[in-house]
């Protein structure tokens, strides 16, 4: 696979003693079949999976793997009786806050959204763009690059 977006991941296979573990094209295709009705994920997400889909060194917490992460997001939505109206794919979770891409968007480097099922119970906002320590409206590549920069510079998230 030609890497166009995630060059920082390709150039930093090992950070702070942790090495990225890639997925095969076959594993990626299986995920696409299961979570995106057989359509390819956006190119930047495919590159992420190809370079670091089984484990990454830039602090995206995949818990027990990317497929399990999808199940955890689904379970948390069910527990809180929340529903996301658009198809999504989670790639990170921290303290019940899921970082996702929306699969109905067509950009090769999609915008990142946050899903917070438990906070939505109180605020009625389930899907939003990142706020706080990250700027709003990150693309997937920008968020990955910022995460790598923070790991390399020992900056907490």
């Amino acid at each position: 696979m030609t890497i166009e977006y995630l060059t920082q991941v390709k150039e930093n296979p090992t950070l702070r003693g942790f090495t990225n573990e890639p997925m095969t094209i076959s594993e990626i295709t299986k995920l696409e079949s299961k979570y995106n009705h057989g359509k390819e994920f956006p190119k930047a997400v495919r590159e992420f999976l190809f370079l670091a889909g089984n484990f990454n060194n830039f602090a995206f917490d995949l818990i027990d793997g990317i497929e399990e992460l999808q199940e955890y997001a689904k379970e948390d939505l069910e527990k809180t009786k929340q529903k996301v109206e658009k198809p999504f794919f989670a790639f990170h979770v921290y303290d019940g806050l899921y970082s996702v891409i929306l699969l109905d968007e067509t950009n090769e480097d999609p915008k990142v959204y946050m899903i917070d099922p438990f906070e939505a119970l109180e605020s009625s906002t389930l899907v939003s763009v990142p706020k706080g320590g990250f700027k709003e409206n990150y693309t997937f590549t920008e968020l990955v690059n910022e995460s790598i920069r923070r790991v390399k510079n020992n900056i907490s998230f």
Side-chain angles (χ1 to χ4, degrees):
M1 174 180 297
T2 303
I3 305 303
E4 295 176 42
Y5 293 97
L6 297 188
T7 57
Q8 287 295 309
V9 177
K10 184 178 179 181
E11 293 170 5
N12 293 281
T14 301
L15 291 173
R16 298 178 69 196
F18 294 98
T19 302
N20 291 328
E21 294 177 16
M23 284 187 158
T24 64
I25 296 294
S26 174
E27 290 172 311
I28 295 167
T29 302
K30 285 178 187 174
L31 286 176
E32 291 168 334
S33 292
K34 187 171 183 177
Y35 297 106
N36 203 24
H37 307 290
K39 295 186 331 191
E40 285 189 358
F41 291 135
K43 178 127 176 70
V45 175
R46 291 189 102 230
E47 290 177 12
F48 161 70
L49 295 170
F50 183 74
L51 294 169
N54 284 319
F55 176 82
N56 68 84
N57 61 17
F58 43 89
F60 282 4
D61 185 0
L62 301 177
I63 307 173
D64 298 321
I66 197 91
E67 274 197 86
E68 287 78 6
L69 182 59
Q70 308 315 305
E71 295 305 314
Y72 293 145
K74 181 181 171 185
E75 289 170 10
D76 282 352
L77 287 165
E78 288 172 359
K79 282 180 200 173
T80 59
K81 297 180 179 25
Q82 301 291 323
K83 183 168 173 51
V84 177
E85 299 300 324
K86 297 182 174 204
F88 68 89
F89 189 76
F91 60 88
H92 176 57
V93 64
Y94 179 75
D95 200 24
L97 178 65
Y98 294 88
S99 298
V100 304
I101 59 158
L102 299 179
L103 294 171
D104 64 346
E105 294 188 356
T106 59
N107 293 331
E108 286 189 343
D109 189 13
K111 191 179 347 178
V112 173
Y113 295 89
M114 309 305 277
I115 294 177
D116 193 340
F118 297 98
E119 182 68 26
L121 289 173
E122 297 174 17
S123 71
S124 77
T125 301
L126 178 61
V127 179
S128 63
V129 293
K131 293 184 169 120
F134 291 110
K135 76 170 192 161
E136 294 184 28
N137 296 318
Y138 265 119
T139 66
F140 185 79
T141 300
E142 289 171 334
L143 184 62
V144 169
N145 289 345
E146 176 62 12
S147 296
I148 290 170
R149 184 189 73 78
R150 288 179 181 219
V151 169
K152 288 171 82 173
N153 293 310
N154 231 5
I155 301 170
S156 64
F157 290 85

